[in-house]
Amino acid sequence: MPTSNISKALLLMIALVSIAVVSWELYLRKSSVTIAYDDGPPFWSYKRALVYQPKEKATVFTGTSRMSYDLDIETWKKITGGEPIQLAIVATSPLTVLDNLAADKNFKGNLIIDAMEEGLFFGDGNIPQQYINFYNGVTPAQKASFQINHLAESAFVFLDKDNFSLSAELSKLQIPSRQGVWTPPVFPMEFTRANFDRQHFMTSKFAADTGLQNKVRTIWNIHHNFFRDILRIDDHTSDSIMHFIKTAVGKIRARGGEVLFVKLPSSGAYLIGETRDFPREKYWNRLLEITGCPGIHFMDYPAINHFNCPEWSHLSQPDAVVFTKEFIRILHEEKKWSFPELPVN
Amino acid sequence: MVFNSYTFIVFFIIILILHNLPFSWKVKKINLLLASYIFYAAWNPPFILLLWLSTVVDFFVGRALYTQQNVYKKRLLLVISLIGNLGMLCFFKYGSFLLENFTLLLNAIGVHFHPAKPDIILPAGISFYTFTTLCYTIDMYHKKSKSVKNMLDFSLFVTFFPHLVAGPIVRPLQLVPQFETEHSATGKQMLDGLLLLSLGLFMKVVLADSMLAAPANAMFGISEVDAPFLAALDAWTGVLAFCGQIFFDFAGYSTCAIGVALCLGFVLPQNFNYPYASIGFSDFWRRWHITLSAWLRDYLYIPLGGNRNGKIKTYINIMLTMLIGGLWHGANWTFVVWGGLHGFYLWVEKFVDDKTGKISALTSSSKKTITGFSYALFTFFLVNITWVFFRAGSFVKASEILKSMFGLHKTVYPIFTSIDIIKVVTIIMVMLTVHWIMRNKSVLEVAYKISWWRLGTLWAIMLLLLIWSQESSSGFIYFQF
């Protein structure tokens, strides 16, 4: 084939790729899909690098998915005038991130930890460690790629790795698996969107569609049945975890930082299960007692104990706004935390 | 910087523009050199000092070696180069390994020695550029080619970004002459280069990262405690996933490197030639990481005596070369065993071939036969056994995985979902078929034979899958070697 034919092949390739990509993008936009960001190690690493601001200006949050759904970043920014840095990682333990911040002598800020027992006492520490390893070894090229990727993700809806990548589409096939193999759940896309503040949110469609909500509730049920036997620890193990937390918290406080635990809202069967499996006196009360840290438990405050989580475990976006406002008020008025835009206590 | 990153796309566009502007050849070469330093520094800027040190020392030592008449002084200069290059490699790559083994040895003889574990970071591509500079000084010692006249050309030879961090390992005669006269890509080279770059990225991003990395990592990431409970199907799925992953990762990188260089008007040597269609192990090493095999042959096996000193010595030289080749891949005894297994296969093959001559006949024949195909499948099977040692990280895990592969564990638990198994088996079957069909052909040769609309459609499918996979910036496996 002469070179001119390769040129024709190149032009055909460009035309086919352009048509396919544009059609796909237009189709997704027409289906009301919005921009979302890949919440992987580069994104987390980008936020992790921001924790060194003075504690009056920035607050760091860590935990599991509840923290990233329930805290409305825009509301926090608007009311406090400070910078919220979301380091929570979905479906993991916050202990690894806590340990990393405690070991970092340059971190002297305020830290709020999601005390969901499933994450704190049973959560996976491997994924956060991978994120931390990425942060520790991030290269200038990776930082630049993240910025370029951010521009691309901000422009194209189809660039949504969790929902539209080849692997994600293959997972959606839901081919029956072999007996005894744990298959990762496939959440409806409407349940997990992430913005550039690392805030996760469910779409308004999800908040209104009980069919979609039931899909996630079923996933929680399957998850709990599968891991039922694992979600048990003896007092000695829970005490050793709490003493580990105490040591880490002590390091941050010794440098002038402040640490606070928050138990975020749940409802329905999830709340029943949590109340049954993680008795307050054994977990929450003891956590505050051993670590000596202040805490905010949603059940203790009428303003935040009434939420109805659409799939039992996370707040809808409008509720996250209400929750965040009240949370800030409690932090400011009761816990005496100071913020740039709020009057000094 | 890695080829499969957004940063590289921007970087490459800038380089292409600069390289095609009406600058003098010297300015273009300076541009390429600076770009290569930026490419390297984008990993870890301080390590660029090592690259400079290696370049400067070997440029002057190489020149002195070429002009020096005194045999003793020549030898001294060669020793300086060997110590400089291999010393650096030993420190960064094998420092911890050597200390660990030295400690084990002392403890074994009753001396209690417990040094702190050194925290040494491996500079990207050190094994590759060390071999590149070493072959230059050795060539100068043997006067195989003329010394490079100026530092700019030599620096570019060592540092030229397409081959810098993971090869192909280039020889002075393959690249230096291309820097002596002005080079820019012809229209054909540019199109060929873009096609190869697309193919390389498709292999790396879609097949290695998006499809095969997860199952390979899941199986080999299993703990030593859980390894005895692996089912045969899962063990084979993991091993086949790794066999595909390492090929697509490394051959993908090499294809990208060749494509990128071609877009700039430079030709790099071929590094892979459908290795999983190899008929026997001699054939495998002529098709897998070709530039490393050739390097080891020319700068280790032949200097050791090659096949010139009788059969026993030949067998010893083969084994030594493969053991050192294994160690080159990583500072762990499992890599040595991997090399040793390949050495053993080569021994057996040589023994059989010396007696019957059948294997050489099969390999050299361009005709595809059932016997050749069967032997290729047998070779592929044995290569997979070696990959277990290459990837397992410890002998305990490797032995448990091997037991699982042969169904020797009684109580087993499945780990892979149906879709994982379907994915891996489909890709490996297609890979083997393509390797067999393409055994005696080249991609560009086939690309020029098929109709333009077929090529354009295939090219579009590759790029669409590349975009669809949404994987970016993951490192290449061979960077760690």
Side-chain angles (χ1 to χ4, degrees):
Chain A
M1 183 164 55
T3 309
S4 63
N5 279 0
I6 293 265
S7 311
K8 279 187 201 166
L10 177 73
L11 291 175
L12 177 65
M13 179 275 282
I14 293 170
L16 290 176
V17 169
S18 307
I19 291 167
V21 168
V22 170
S23 309
W24 191 15
E25 178 69 14
L26 290 176
Y27 168 75
L28 291 175
R29 283 179 184 265
K30 208 168 174 228
S31 311
S32 307
V33 179
T34 51
I35 295 291
Y37 296 90
D38 177 20
D39 194 25
F43 195 6
W44 187 89
S45 183
Y46 169 73
K47 293 288 177 187
R48 171 63 180 81
L50 304 175
V51 304
Y52 303 108
Q53 300 172 59
K55 71 174 186 179
E56 298 75 28
K57 289 191 177 165
T59 305
V60 179
F61 297 85
T62 187
T64 182
S65 56
R66 262 185 214 171
M67 182 58 100
S68 62
Y69 273 82
D70 295 0
L71 181 83
D72 189 68
I73 300 286
E74 273 309 311
T75 306
W76 182 279
K77 281 181 190 168
K78 208 160 75 182
I79 296 177
T80 68
E83 175 79 20
I85 300 159
Q86 184 59 273
L87 295 185
I89 303 171
V90 172
T92 63
S93 163
L95 292 188
T96 320
V97 175
L98 168 66
D99 190 40
N100 173 255
L101 291 170
D104 185 344
K105 289 179 179 150
N106 295 318
F107 173 67
K108 299 165 185 172
N110 289 343
L111 176 66
I112 295 179
I113 305 171
D114 166 10
M116 183 201 189
E117 295 84 355
E118 235 178 290
L120 204 57
F121 294 95
F122 305 95
D124 173 36
N126 293 321
I127 292 172
Q129 193 55 54
Q130 287 169 21
Y131 283 47
I132 290 163
N133 292 345
F134 183 91
Y135 169 72
N136 289 335
V138 68
T139 66
Q142 285 168 327
K143 287 182 185 173
S145 276
F146 171 75
Q147 294 298 345
I148 301 168
N149 189 34
H150 169 49
L151 291 177
E153 282 183 325
S154 302
F156 297 104
V157 166
F158 76 84
L159 290 177
D160 177 349
K161 195 176 169 186
D162 288 340
N163 291 295
F164 303 128
S165 68
L166 186 53
S167 302
E169 297 289 359
L170 284 174
S171 304
K172 286 181 200 166
L173 292 176
Q174 293 279 289
I175 292 173
S177 200
R178 299 153 76 205
Q179 201 176 5
V181 177
W182 182 76
T183 42
V186 180
F187 290 98
M189 184 189 68
E190 293 81 359
F191 176 55
T192 52
R193 313 297 297 157
N195 67 21
F196 199 61
D197 287 319
R198 290 196 74 248
Q199 181 180 344
H200 283 77
F201 58 92
M202 51 189 85
T203 62
S204 48
K205 184 184 170 193
F206 182 88
D209 187 335
T210 49
L212 288 173
Q213 292 165 16
N214 283 335
K215 271 189 187 171
V216 179
R217 288 173 182 176
T218 308
I219 290 172
W220 298 149
N221 278 331
I222 295 169
H223 170 84
H224 278 280
N225 287 336
F226 199 92
F227 292 106
R228 185 184 300 242
D229 295 334
I230 301 170
L231 296 175
R232 300 271 181 280
I233 46 170
D234 55 36
D235 290 349
H236 176 72
T237 312
S238 65
D239 269 13
S240 67
I241 293 172
M242 290 191 213
H243 279 101
F244 173 85
I245 297 170
K246 183 189 175 186
T247 309
V249 163
K251 288 179 190 168
I252 296 170
R253 292 170 116 187
R255 296 195 292 263
E258 286 184 56
V259 180
L260 180 137
F261 289 96
V262 58
K263 175 78 181 157
L264 295 157
S266 57
S267 63
Y270 221 115
L271 178 58
I272 294 166
E274 283 186 319
T275 314
R276 181 192 60 223
D277 295 339
F278 310 113
R280 185 171 168 148
E281 49 292 353
K282 187 180 164 186
Y283 287 93
W284 173 258
N285 293 354
R286 200 143 168 69
L287 175 69
L288 299 191
E289 186 191 322
I290 290 180
T291 61
C293 287
I296 297 174
H297 194 299
F298 76 98
M299 290 298 276
D300 296 340
Y301 299 89
I304 53 171
N305 74 358
H306 61 279
F307 293 112
N308 182 23
C309 304
E311 38 61 75
W312 301 332
S313 186
H314 304 83
L315 296 177
S316 65
Q317 211 178 8
D319 280 349
V321 173
V322 177
F323 169 79
T324 305
K325 282 180 186 167
E326 290 301 323
F327 184 53
I328 294 167
R329 189 185 58 75
I330 298 164
L331 276 174
H332 182 62
E333 291 176 8
E334 189 187 306
K335 306 298 175 188
K336 307 295 177 199
W337 278 36
S338 52
F339 299 104
E341 292 289 319
L342 293 178
V344 178
N345 288 297
Chain B
M1 200 181 298
V2 286
F3 293 146
N4 55 318
S5 66
Y6 293 112
T7 320
F8 180 75
I9 295 171
V10 175
F11 168 88
F12 187 49
I13 291 169
I14 295 169
I15 298 305
L16 273 182
I17 292 169
L18 283 175
H19 197 65
N20 287 290
L21 286 176
F23 294 133
S24 71
W25 181 229
K26 192 177 177 183
V27 171
K28 285 185 181 181
K29 284 198 287 188
I30 291 171
N31 284 342
L32 285 178
L33 184 62
L34 290 176
S36 299
Y37 286 134
I38 291 168
F39 181 87
Y40 191 73
W43 265 288
N44 196 335
F47 282 134
I48 209 156
L49 295 172
L50 285 179
L51 193 56
W52 284 340
L53 182 72
S54 184
T55 308
V56 171
V57 169
D58 284 310
F59 175 70
F60 288 107
V61 170
R63 184 190 268 183
L65 272 168
Y66 189 75
T67 51
Q68 184 56 252
Q69 299 299 320
N70 184 309
V71 178
Y72 295 106
K73 283 184 181 171
K74 263 186 104 159
R75 281 186 187 158
L76 180 67
L77 284 166
L78 185 64
V79 167
I80 290 171
S81 172
L82 289 175
I83 290 176
N85 285 299
L86 295 178
M88 201 161 76
L89 190 61
C90 278
F91 176 77
F92 284 101
K93 189 165 175 176
Y94 302 106
S96 303
F97 176 68
L98 289 171
L99 184 66
E100 193 182 309
N101 283 281
F102 180 64
T103 308
L104 279 175
L105 187 70
L106 286 184
N107 290 339
I109 58 169
V111 179
H112 292 286
F113 176 61
H114 298 285
K117 206 174 173 199
D119 189 16
I120 302 170
I121 302 169
L122 184 68
I126 189 167
S127 307
F128 288 91
Y129 71 73
T130 302
F131 271 35
T132 302
T133 52
L134 262 183
C135 73
Y136 174 71
T137 47
I138 297 171
D139 279 4
M140 290 304 102
Y141 178 79
H142 292 298
K143 290 208 171 187
K144 276 190 183 168
S145 58
K146 285 183 179 172
S147 62
V148 182
K149 290 186 190 103
N150 61 67
M151 181 64 112
L152 178 59
D153 284 3
F154 185 72
S155 303
L156 203 46
F157 159 66
V158 176
T159 320
F160 187 45
F161 72 88
H163 76 75
L164 175 61
V165 287
I169 300 169
V170 285
R171 309 287 181 87
L173 275 175
Q174 287 170 326
L175 199 53
V176 174
Q178 298 189 59
F179 295 136
E180 285 169 359
T181 52
E182 178 143 10
H183 270 68
S184 60
T186 60
K188 181 182 179 304
Q189 281 179 319
M190 180 63 82
L191 291 167
D192 290 354
L194 289 175
L195 182 61
L196 290 177
L197 181 58
S198 310
L199 176 65
L201 287 173
F202 169 76
M203 289 162 80
K204 162 66 182 162
V205 177
V206 180
L207 299 174
D209 290 351
S210 181
M211 295 288 106
L212 298 173
N217 293 341
M219 200 281 281
F220 282 101
I222 201 164
S223 68
E224 288 181 3
V225 179
D226 292 329
F229 300 103
L230 265 174
L233 180 60
D234 296 86
W236 272 107
T237 303
V239 171
L240 288 173
F242 180 69
C243 116
Q245 185 201 7
I246 192 159
F247 167 73
F248 289 122
D249 188 275
F250 193 21
Y253 183 90
S254 295
T255 309
C256 288
I258 293 166
V260 164
L262 211 50
C263 289
L264 294 164
F266 300 97
V267 178
L268 293 183
Q270 190 181 9
N271 217 15
F272 285 85
N273 188 19
Y274 308 103
Y276 289 140
S278 304
I279 300 174
F281 289 88
S282 306
D283 193 27
F284 180 80
W285 285 103
R286 282 193 293 268
R287 292 169 177 274
W288 179 275
H289 204 174
I290 299 165
T291 56
L292 174 72
S293 318
W295 198 101
L296 291 171
R297 180 196 64 212
D298 295 344
Y299 297 98
L300 186 63
Y301 176 69
I302 292 174
L304 282 170
N307 59 2
R308 299 188 303 273
N309 301 314
K311 281 190 176 173
I312 301 289
K313 275 270 188 154
T314 304
Y315 280 96
I316 293 171
N317 292 339
I318 288 172
M319 186 55 82
L320 272 176
T321 306
M322 295 316 292
L323 290 174
I324 293 170
L327 194 60
W328 177 88
H329 284 84
N332 195 330
W333 288 109
T334 49
F335 287 107
V336 180
V337 169
W338 172 77
L341 267 178
H342 272 282
F344 176 71
Y345 294 158
L346 287 167
W347 273 9
V348 175
E349 188 172 281
K350 184 169 170 49
F351 180 78
V352 173
D353 199 39
D354 285 349
K355 294 275 179 203
T356 65
K358 282 183 180 170
I359 295 169
S360 306
L362 272 177
T363 310
S364 54
S365 168
S366 58
K367 216 171 123 186
K368 288 174 182 167
T369 61
I370 293 287
T371 319
F373 182 71
S374 307
Y375 192 38
L377 278 184
F378 184 59
T379 308
F380 178 70
F381 167 75
L382 291 178
V383 165
N384 276 299
I385 303 294
T386 69
W387 287 137
V388 175
F389 289 94
F390 193 93
R391 179 66 174 81
S394 77
F395 289 115
V396 175
K397 203 193 275 187
S399 100
E400 295 302 340
I401 290 171
L402 283 171
K403 281 184 197 165
S404 293
M405 288 165 74
F406 293 102
L408 298 177
H409 289 309
K410 288 205 172 101
T411 313
V412 292
Y413 302 106
I415 58 168
F416 286 121
T417 57
S418 307
I419 189 77
D420 282 332
I421 296 168
I422 293 168
K423 224 164 46 176
V424 172
V425 171
T426 308
I427 292 172
I428 298 302
M429 297 282 278
V430 172
M431 177 186 79
L432 288 177
T433 310
V434 170
H435 278 220
W436 186 248
I437 292 170
M438 295 287 291
R439 198 181 127 76
N440 301 317
K441 296 172 186 156
S442 80
V443 175
L444 290 178
E445 184 192 314
V446 172
Y448 276 87
K449 272 186 187 161
I450 61 175
S451 60
W452 65 268
W453 60 269
R454 263 199 196 140
L455 178 64
T457 309
L458 284 173
W459 201 344
I461 291 170
M462 280 199 309
L463 271 191
L464 283 171
L465 284 170
L466 187 63
I467 295 167
W468 193 13
S469 70
Q470 302 192 26
E471 296 277 346
S472 71
S473 302
S474 64
F476 288 86
I477 295 176
Y478 262 69
F479 284 175
Q480 61 195 287
F481 301 144

